[in-house]
Amino acid sequence: MLDSIDPQEMLEPYSKRARHLIETALKMFYMNGFQATGIDTVLNESGVSKMTLYNNFGSKEELILATLRLRDLRWRRWFVNFVEAAATTPEGKILATFDALDAWINEKNFYGCMFINAAAEHGGLDDPIRKEASEHKRLVRDYLVKIASECKTDKPEDLATQIFLLNEGVIVDAHVSGNKAAAVMGKKAAELLLRVS
């Protein structure tokens, strides 16, 4: 389940300088956090003027939302392509989600999930940034529901939610504890879950 929009298409309405600002901000927000990364720091790093920021986004919040939308499209495209290439059976695809996470958390530049980080830094459920993070998680879970509905189970929604929670736990443990084997352990738990579902 991939969006019809390509990540590059999302950037097309923006000027070249605005696209560069989004790319720079995405990298800096992911590495250093949203609150800790001041807008002046992003502007200095990108070499883009405040005028470009305000003409294209209006505020730091709108720039954050643009970076999250781009990250969502890129990350889900990568995740789905990885899983679909790794396995042909629905059960195999469920297990391949952990292989994808294992590859990701063992990358040199892994700083956790940008959406979990965004939700942690932006309080209320009505916060637009928190809503964007929640939407990303819903779309990931929807993909898992699609896979689970092809499995031999009477409760695909339950199975998808359980796998989703295992995936999320893997990401948090890898980020917070530095556990580079988190996905391997998560996969073992998923194998047990598939046997009893």
Side-chain angles (χ1 to χ4, degrees), residues 97-196:
T97 65
F98 295 91
D99 297 331
L101 295 180
D102 187 54
W104 178 41
I105 66 179
N106 282 288
E107 287 177 357
K108 180 183 175 186
N109 296 320
F110 173 73
Y111 301 101
C113 171
M114 193 167 177
F115 302 92
I116 293 172
N117 298 346
E121 289 193 44
H122 295 86
L125 292 174
D126 290 333
D127 184 295
I129 292 169
R130 178 81 172 263
K131 284 182 176 179
E132 196 68 38
S134 178
E135 177 64 5
H136 166 78
K137 295 301 181 183
R138 183 190 68 76
L139 292 167
V140 172
R141 186 182 170 281
D142 284 352
Y143 173 61
L144 295 175
V145 169
K146 177 183 175 289
I147 298 171
S149 67
E150 298 168 8
C151 290
K152 296 170 187 166
T153 178
D154 295 332
K155 297 181 178 178
E157 291 264 346
D158 288 356
L159 175 60
T161 298
Q162 291 161 349
I163 296 300
F164 175 77
L165 292 173
L166 283 174
N167 281 177
E168 293 299 296
V170 163
I171 296 166
V172 171
D173 188 38
H175 183 217
V176 174
S177 305
N179 181 4
K180 296 298 185 181
V184 174
M185 298 306 294
K187 186 175 181 178
K188 288 180 181 178
E191 287 169 346
L192 293 173
L193 193 57
L194 285 170
R195 283 183 211 148
V196 299

Side-chain angles (χ1 to χ4, degrees), residues 2-167:
L2 282 171
D3 293 344
S4 57
I5 186 171
D6 182 273
Q8 285 311 112
E9 287 178 38
M10 189 218 117
L11 292 172
E12 281 178 10
Y14 296 105
S15 68
K16 184 177 179 182
R17 294 182 71 71
R19 288 195 298 267
H20 179 62
L21 180 59
I22 293 171
E23 295 283 8
T24 303
L26 191 157
K27 180 180 175 184
M28 295 182 77
F29 291 149
Y30 182 53
M31 284 176 56
N32 305 314
F34 300 94
Q35 307 290 353
T37 306
I39 199 62
D40 288 336
T41 305
V42 175
L43 293 172
N44 288 338
E45 181 70 21
S46 66
V48 171
S49 69
K50 269 192 181 169
M51 182 80 70
T52 299
L53 168 71
Y54 292 115
N55 285 344
N56 286 273
F57 307 102
S59 66
K60 180 182 178 182
E61 179 179 273
E62 288 300 320
L63 177 61
I64 290 172
L65 289 169
T67 65
L68 289 173
R69 289 177 191 125
L70 181 60
R71 176 68 175 185
D72 167 65
L73 289 170
R74 285 181 177 167
W75 194 90
R76 282 190 302 112
R77 185 166 291 258
W78 169 80
F79 183 69
V80 171
N81 286 340
F82 187 109
V83 170
E84 296 294 323
T88 54
T89 67
E91 292 80 9
K93 288 177 185 180
I94 282 177
L95 296 177
T97 65
F98 295 91
D99 297 331
L101 295 180
D102 187 54
W104 178 41
I105 66 179
N106 282 288
E107 287 177 357
K108 180 183 175 186
N109 296 320
F110 173 73
Y111 301 101
C113 171
M114 193 167 177
F115 302 92
I116 293 172
N117 298 346
E121 289 193 44
H122 295 86
L125 292 174
D126 290 333
D127 184 295
I129 292 169
R130 178 81 172 263
K131 284 182 176 179
E132 196 68 38
S134 178
E135 177 64 5
H136 166 78
K137 295 301 181 183
R138 183 190 68 76
L139 292 167
V140 172
R141 186 182 170 281
D142 284 352
Y143 173 61
L144 295 175
V145 169
K146 177 183 175 289
I147 298 171
S149 67
E150 298 168 8
C151 290
K152 296 170 187 166
T153 178
D154 295 332
K155 297 181 178 178
E157 291 264 346
D158 288 356
L159 175 60
T161 298
Q162 291 161 349
I163 296 300
F164 175 77
L165 292 173
L166 283 174
N167 281 177

